[in-house]
Amino acid sequence: MKSTLRTIGTYACAMALATTFAACTKTVAPITDPPNASAEKTPFPGGASITPRDLTATYELPHEPPPYDPSLSRQEFARFAWRQFIYLNSPARPNPGDKGPAGAPPVIRAEIDRSRNFASSGDPNFYQSGTGGNTLGRNHLIWETFAHRSELFPVKSPPTGALQYLYPQYALANISVGKELARFNNLDETTQIGQNQIFFPRNDSKPSPNPYDDHMILFEAKVNHVEYNYIRNTLGKTYPSTTELPRHIEFPPNKGNSDLPAGASSDEESIEVKAAWREMSDGLIKSGRYHTAEALYYVNKSTEGAPSGSKIVPRVGTFGLVGLHILRKTKNYPAFIYTTFEHVDNLQKSGNPKDSTGLYVVTLYDTMNYNPSIKDPQAFVNAGNGQLQTFTLPTEGTVDLDHGYPIIPGSFNLPSGFAGPIKVGPSHAMTPAVQAVNDEVMKVMNSMPEFNNSVWKYYRLAGIQILPVDEDSPTVPVNNPGGLSPLTEDFYLANSVIESSQPGIQLFKGAVSDPGMRGAGKYQLLNERSMANIQQVRGLPLTANKVVMGGCMGCHGNAQYPRANGETGTGPTIFNFLTTQDTLSGKGFEVEVRPTSIAEVRKRTQVYMK
């Protein structure tokens, strides 16, 4: 992928660039705090500098940011993101044994342990040291105890019971997991939203001829007790009905929504988590650089020596956390606040920039086109320094080197209709403001003996999105004629292990049609980069309610319920891929099986971009 830096000035300059990129050379400083900002600044406690107390106190979830205004700096939002990470990665409260019904888990789910803190959970043996006496274990991070997507929408039955005292129960469309194997981390997804599979090479940095011999990254999606209770209360006795589906699903906070059933309104905040875990070698487990935990995953077990006789078998293994999305809906930010963190070793071994891990993806399609067609596809990234960095995207056609994909040379055995392997590169959303706050947090950690051996020293914030906004682009008027909008600094927010391929999800904006969906061919990915994906969001100003957004927020903007004829969402319910007509009518989710050969690659389920 080629990239260049461009400086964008006034509206006229932007329009000139629509026809000739060489027409404008004026440098414009980024928008900064207004004059006398210190006297006018909105109070933002969560945006204050990170201190040792933040890392060791019994922490509370930081209060939501105040309503956005330009005096709030990007560094403040980055510190807020870190405070969320600190809270959610603190230990969950152990159950003393007298809380909840018989058979309750050994922790109180979604509740913080006030006798321990973020430093405690940074112990490389945090999970393992709490496994005595119970297969589930007593040492878990707060977010790990959230409701798994299959607990939110069990197959053929409504969610039941108080989440705080509910033992993990996984009722999926193609398997149910017994209590003896249940773990809080249930890695039932093997793809990046049905588009790619992603691997670390097992030997050195070169992919194996059979990718399924390498270390695969697996995924899970979870929601907090607020979303869980909302679904349980909203569906009521209608679930799992196909004729009495809710008119709208709008997660809290949703006060004042007259479309909701009685008692469903709430000022509490919804939180969603998407986690990426890598299969671990013994050496990586012993390195002390990863938060590790036992997790469920699924394989095919052949009963007759052939794939046709295979069955799905749940397994338990030790995995390392490599990526974490945190989505939080608040009153001031009804389109959710998106933050994402990743491990420093995702692309470089032990953080050494000269030693690549060889991380790669295999696409579940072999052709890619744009709708409408784009002759010179590009993405324009606000670098946070007054400049736009221009990235040339892969061109239409076959997914290969000639069309702009960094294909790794060699002979590889891939399933029909798949392509690759493709080398994974870093996300382009990292900005100077985010990097500065990462450095600030690491400086505090390195000054504290409690973090000498902490796994948390190896995780970094990748970026944060707070409000939808159109891309700063030379082909359209920039958001502010006097410079670049600070809201677009994270426009292409992505995580190298959760959004890896370009242009499918790493430099994503608008919408995509997955293979076989909405006019796309059987093995074709169709990019629709001009489609407005933020529409009719209750609480947003009208100017932000028909936006072609990018990154995580833009992708989730496509997840609307109800949908019009299965196509474009009509709102106002958006940002949750879990809520569909299928899940609301009791069809539940299917586990995706971790294959070992191309013969075992199951037919992918397209649940995200229907």
Side-chain angles (χ1 to χ4, degrees):
M1 176 180 299
K2 297 180 180 179
S3 68
T4 59
L5 282 175
R6 303 196 183 279
T7 53
I8 308 301
T10 63
Y11 172 88
C13 180
M15 293 305 292
L17 282 171
T19 56
T20 171
F21 286 107
C24 178
T25 59
K26 182 178 178 181
T27 299
V28 177
I31 299 173
T32 57
D33 292 350
N36 302 318
S38 59
E40 303 172 8
K41 199 170 187 65
T42 304
F44 186 4
S49 297
I50 301 292
T51 68
R53 178 174 174 77
D54 288 312
L55 302 182
T56 56
T58 300
Y59 209 76
E60 301 289 345
L61 185 68
H63 191 270
E64 70 162 321
Y68 179 75
D69 73 65
S71 73
L72 299 172
S73 71
R74 303 305 292 174
Q75 287 91 336
E76 288 177 288
F77 283 105
R79 293 180 186 123
F80 166 82
W82 261 105
R83 285 185 167 90
Q84 287 192 146
F85 185 84
I86 292 167
Y87 173 82
L88 291 173
N89 285 291
S90 296
R93 180 186 173 190
N95 192 334
D98 58 354
K99 299 290 186 182
V107 294
I108 299 177
R109 300 178 67 170
E111 187 172 320
I112 193 169
D113 180 3
R114 298 195 174 278
S115 67
R116 296 182 292 176
N117 54 31
F118 181 62
S120 305
S121 63
D123 182 341
N125 296 310
F126 172 69
Y127 174 82
Q128 290 78 1
S129 63
T131 54
N134 187 294
T135 56
L136 190 61
R138 298 178 65 84
N139 286 346
H140 304 279
L141 308 177
I142 292 174
W143 69 262
E144 289 179 310
T145 69
F146 283 3
H148 186 265
R149 66 174 187 168
S150 63
E151 293 182 287
L152 184 68
F153 291 113
V155 67
K156 297 181 180 178
S157 66
T160 58
L163 181 65
Q164 292 92 324
Y165 307 117
L166 191 66
Y167 209 93
Q169 299 179 19
Y170 302 128
L172 295 115
N174 52 351
I175 192 172
S176 292
V177 179
K179 187 175 181 179
E180 70 282 358
L181 285 178
R183 300 294 188 272
F184 278 126
N185 291 302
N186 183 8
L187 313 185
D188 63 328
E189 299 179 66
T190 65
T191 68
Q192 298 174 331
I193 62 170
Q195 291 187 20
N196 314 280
Q197 296 172 331
I198 181 167
F199 305 85
F200 285 96
R202 184 178 296 273
N203 299 310
D204 196 29
S205 299
K206 184 178 180 181
S208 299
N210 171 28
Y212 304 108
D213 288 337
D214 285 334
H215 294 297
M216 196 174 197
I217 293 180
L218 306 179
F219 307 91
E220 64 178 335
K222 289 174 170 283
V223 304
N224 71 341
H225 64 287
V226 175
E227 281 201 18
Y228 176 87
N229 291 337
Y230 172 82
I231 289 295
R232 186 181 63 169
N233 295 334
T234 300
L235 293 178
K237 297 180 180 180
T238 67
Y239 184 78
S241 168
T242 58
T243 59
E244 298 182 60
L245 299 179
R247 290 181 55 198
H248 296 291
I249 293 290
E250 187 171 357
F251 291 107
N254 49 30
K255 189 174 182 180
N257 183 352
S258 60
D259 295 324
L260 296 171
S265 294
S266 173
D267 291 332
E268 293 184 286
E269 295 177 345
S270 296
I271 298 177
E272 302 173 2
V273 169
K274 177 86 172 188
W277 298 82
R278 69 173 292 179
E279 297 171 336
M280 302 287 280
S281 65
D282 289 341
L284 286 174
I285 294 172
K286 295 174 181 177
S287 71
R289 296 173 68 89
Y290 291 83
H291 168 70
T292 60
E294 286 188 352
L296 270 171
Y297 68 107
Y298 304 86
V299 298
N300 280 321
K301 181 180 179 181
S302 175
T303 59
E304 300 175 2
S308 60
S310 65
K311 294 182 179 180
I312 299 174
V313 178
R315 295 268 178 87
V316 173
T318 298
F319 290 78
L321 182 69
V322 292
L324 188 68
H325 280 340
I326 302 169
L327 289 64
R328 179 178 170 190
K329 183 180 179 183
T330 75
K331 286 183 179 180
N332 293 333
Y333 297 88
F336 282 78
I337 297 171
Y338 291 75
T339 62
T340 189
F341 289 78
E342 61 176 290
H343 199 279
V344 297
D345 293 349
N346 284 348
L347 300 175
Q348 301 160 350
K349 294 179 180 178
S350 300
N352 183 354
K354 296 182 179 180
D355 197 358
S356 170
T357 63
L359 184 68
Y360 68 95
V361 295
V362 171
T363 64
L364 278 65
Y365 51 91
D366 58 14
T367 62
M368 188 277 300
N369 292 84
Y370 298 99
N371 182 26
S373 180
I374 304 175
K375 183 179 181 180
D376 183 25
Q378 295 176 317
F380 304 96
V381 176
N382 181 349
N385 58 3
Q387 296 179 318
L388 286 182
Q389 191 167 7
T390 306
F391 290 92
T392 300
L393 297 172
T395 54
E396 295 188 311
T398 306
V399 178
D400 58 19
L401 191 62
D402 290 340
H403 289 85
Y405 294 89
I407 301 289
I408 299 171
S411 179
F412 304 99
N413 196 6
L414 300 180
S416 175
F418 287 32
I422 299 171
K423 182 180 179 181
V424 172
S427 163
H428 303 293
M430 179 70 74
T431 64
V434 169
Q435 186 59 57
V437 173
N438 281 336
D439 292 343
E440 175 184 301
V441 175
M442 291 306 112
K443 183 177 180 180
V444 176
M445 282 192 190
N446 289 332
S447 72
M448 302 174 65
E450 297 95 325
F451 288 89
N452 284 347
N453 299 311
S454 177
V455 300
W456 301 129
K457 295 197 299 184
Y458 305 108
Y459 293 84
R460 300 290 187 271
L461 173 66
I464 177 170
Q465 289 179 319
I466 56 174
L467 286 172
V469 62
D470 280 312
E471 178 189 37
D472 275 330
S473 167
T475 61
V476 297
V478 293
N479 289 282
N480 188 312
L484 303 180
S485 168
L487 288 174
T488 62
E489 289 186 22
D490 298 283
F491 182 86
Y492 284 111
L493 182 64
N495 187 307
S496 67
V497 292
I498 304 178
E499 297 92 9
S500 298
S501 72
Q502 299 160 339
I505 39 182
Q506 192 175 88
L507 287 171
F508 168 90
K509 71 172 185 177
V512 298
S513 290
D514 285 339
M517 308 299 295
R518 296 197 308 188
K522 183 178 181 181
Y523 298 123
Q524 177 193 43
L525 184 75
L526 197 58
N527 263 276
E528 302 159 290
R529 294 180 66 82
S530 60
M531 181 177 290
N533 49 33
I534 307 296
Q535 302 183 65
Q536 303 183 53
V537 181
R538 195 186 309 275
L540 285 181
L542 293 178
T543 54
N545 248 330
K546 194 169 185 180
V547 170
V548 182
M549 184 58 180
C552 300
M553 185 184 295
C555 182
H556 280 251
N558 289 278
Q560 297 189 292
Y561 173 85
R563 294 182 173 95
N565 300 319
E567 299 289 341
T568 305
T570 56
T573 305
I574 65 171
F575 306 115
N576 187 293
F577 283 124
L578 308 180
T579 307
T580 67
Q581 186 167 342
D582 284 348
T583 57
L584 288 171
S585 60
K587 292 184 179 180
F589 293 97
E590 289 188 3
V591 302
E592 295 179 343
V593 174
R594 195 273 190 243
T596 59
S597 69
I598 63 169
E600 293 183 7
V601 177
R602 66 183 294 276
K603 182 180 180 181
R604 55 193 178 274
T605 54
Q606 296 146 325
V607 299
Y608 290 105
M609 297 292 183
K610 285 186 176 179

